[in-house]
């Protein structure tokens, strides 16, 4: 482990620097040193980043770098600065750059022309939410934002319905209820979902329930759909592989031929001493 306390900035180097997702105290010492010492900071929104720099008394010049200019003149301008010996820190409005934010085109171009890229570890809303979800985290699939239109959103969900790892979505305040309703229609009503909202901020909340219950919970209070939102969705594997004995599955199959699903699941659960919810969830997927 490198225990060096002093950060030495190298010429002609791009630093990928995470910034806090809410609580300014989450920024690292190393990130502050880099932002203080580089030649220029490439920022998605200079007004937003300016507040962060002002808080920590950092006066490094900024360069506007966002989705609309990354593939046009901005990347070429930054490459010229880097090739001339300047050092650049790339930041997004919040969290780790390139995770649902601009920057990959610049990074790729840096690799092509031999510019060194140094990534710093730090805040990421998706990983922060996953760490507190209580849902399998050994494998996960980051989807980011679902499409804004209903048809495109449902089409995308249909492609994801049988993905085995845990799913991670970002969602807009304005589309949360519609997206949860579409998850119900495609994934079923009992798929377990964690809603993590306003992480690291004053009104942080983390709440999980089968998705139909989660939607009802959100609808009870308008504030439950406000702010920055991450959805952690139980993977398909969790629904079909809960260590259900083969004998129990055979019993369930036989009973379903004569009884409604809920009753068949309840009787099977009693016979084999397992939870009826597991059997029910297994059957409706």
């Amino acid at each position: 482990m490198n225990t060096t306390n002093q950060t030495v900035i190298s010429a002609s180097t791009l630093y990928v620097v995470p910034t806090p997702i809410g609580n300014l105290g989450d920024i690292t010492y190393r990130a502050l040193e880099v932002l203080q010492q580089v030649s220029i900071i490439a920022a998605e929104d200079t007004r937003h980043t300016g507040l962060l720099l002002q808080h920590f008394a950092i006066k490094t010049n900024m360069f506007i770098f966002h989705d609309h200019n990354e593939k046009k003149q901005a990347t070429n301008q930054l490459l010229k600065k880097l090739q001339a010996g300047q050092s650049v820190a790339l930041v997004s409005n919040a969290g780790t750059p390139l995770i649902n934010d601009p920057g990959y085109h610049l990074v790729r171009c840096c690799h092509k022309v031999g510019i060194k890229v140094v990534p710093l570890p730090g805040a990421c809303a998706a990983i922060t939410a996953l760490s507190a979800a209580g849902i399998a985290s050994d494998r996960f699939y980051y989807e980011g934002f679902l499409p804004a239109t209903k048809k495109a959103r449902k089409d995308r969900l249909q492609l994801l319905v049988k993905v085995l790892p845990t799913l991670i979505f970002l969602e807009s305040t304005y589309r949360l209820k519609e997206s949860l309703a579409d998850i119900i229609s495609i994934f079923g009503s009992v798929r377990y979902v964690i809603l993590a909202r306003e992480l690291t901020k004053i009104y942080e909340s983390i709440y999980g329930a089968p998705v139909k219950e989660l939607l009802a919970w959100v609808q009870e209070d308008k504030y439950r759909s406000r702010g920055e939102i991450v959805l952690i969705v139980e993977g398909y594997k969790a629904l079909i592989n809960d260590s259900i004995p083969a004998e129990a599955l055979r019993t369930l199959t036989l009973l379903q031929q004569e009884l409604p699903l809920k009753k068949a699941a309840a009787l099977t659960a009693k016979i084999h001493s397992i939870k009826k919810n597991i059997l029910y969830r297994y059957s409706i997927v």
Side-chain angles (χ1 to χ4, degrees):
M1 179 181 291
N2 183 356
T3 57
T4 276
N5 291 324
Q6 184 177 3
T7 298
V8 178
I9 298 299
S10 301
S12 298
T13 301
L14 175 69
Y15 293 87
V16 182
V17 183
T19 54
I21 59 176
N23 190 323
L24 293 180
D26 291 334
I27 198 164
T28 67
Y29 287 117
R30 187 178 174 210
L32 290 174
E33 289 176 342
V34 169
L35 294 175
Q36 182 73 58
Q37 297 178 47
V38 290
S39 308
I40 193 168
I41 297 171
E44 190 177 1
D45 184 334
T46 53
R47 292 169 298 179
H48 185 94
T49 300
L51 297 175
L52 174 72
L53 300 184
Q54 183 180 11
H55 180 83
F56 290 105
I58 295 172
K59 299 181 179 180
T60 307
N61 290 330
M62 287 186 285
F63 177 93
I64 298 175
F65 184 82
H66 48 59
D67 280 325
H68 303 295
N69 70 358
E70 177 183 4
K71 292 184 179 180
K72 297 178 181 178
Q73 74 276 13
T75 291
N76 288 334
Q77 290 175 9
L78 287 175
L79 284 175
K80 288 179 181 178
K81 293 177 185 295
L82 287 160
Q83 290 172 322
Q86 294 190 51
S87 53
V88 176
L90 174 65
V91 301
S92 63
N93 285 344
T96 300
L98 281 78
I99 309 300
N100 225 77
D101 286 316
Y104 88 88
H105 184 69
L106 171 62
V107 170
R108 187 167 185 172
C109 288
C110 284
H111 288 313
K112 284 184 177 180
V113 301
I115 296 293
K116 186 178 181 181
V117 178
V118 176
L120 275 63
C124 175
I127 300 303
T128 302
L130 180 63
S131 71
I135 294 178
S137 57
D138 53 336
R139 295 177 64 209
F140 56 89
Y141 180 98
Y142 175 74
E143 176 67 17
F145 285 98
L146 286 165
T149 63
K150 187 176 187 65
K151 183 182 184 306
R153 186 166 57 243
K154 293 182 77 170
D155 287 347
R156 185 61 191 168
L157 287 168
Q158 192 64 56
L159 293 175
L160 299 171
V161 67
K162 290 191 176 181
V163 169
L164 300 182
T166 296
L167 297 165
I168 304 177
F169 299 101
L170 304 181
E171 195 44 87
S172 160
T173 292
Y174 307 104
R175 292 196 300 268
L176 175 63
K177 295 175 184 177
E178 289 77 7
S179 290
L180 290 175
D182 289 339
I183 290 174
I184 292 169
S185 71
I186 303 298
F187 286 19
S189 62
V190 298
R191 185 77 72 101
Y192 195 78
V193 178
I194 288 284
L195 190 159
R197 187 180 66 85
E198 292 290 87
L199 291 172
T200 80
K201 300 175 185 177
I202 294 174
Y203 297 108
E204 172 182 286
S205 68
I206 300 171
Y207 183 84
V211 64
K212 186 175 182 180
E213 295 178 23
L214 180 63
L215 176 57
W217 179 81
V218 169
Q219 291 171 331
E220 288 173 358
D221 187 336
K222 64 181 180 180
Y223 293 105
R224 291 173 179 171
S225 60
R226 293 188 178 179
E228 302 292 330
I229 294 166
V230 182
L231 297 175
I232 309 293
V233 180
E234 182 180 56
Y236 184 74
K237 182 179 181 180
L239 296 179
I240 63 174
N241 187 23
D242 266 308
S243 299
I244 303 175
E247 295 82 3
L249 293 179
R250 284 195 292 270
T251 302
L252 179 62
T253 300
L254 290 171
L255 290 176
Q256 276 188 269
Q257 296 174 11
E258 303 295 332
L259 300 170
L261 172 58
K262 285 187 177 180
K263 192 165 186 178
L267 286 173
T268 303
K270 284 185 178 181
I271 294 168
H272 296 280
S273 300
I274 58 179
K275 293 181 179 179
K276 64 180 180 181
N277 286 344
I278 292 176
L279 294 166
Y280 182 76
R281 287 160 56 190
Y282 172 87
S283 299
I284 66 172
V285 175

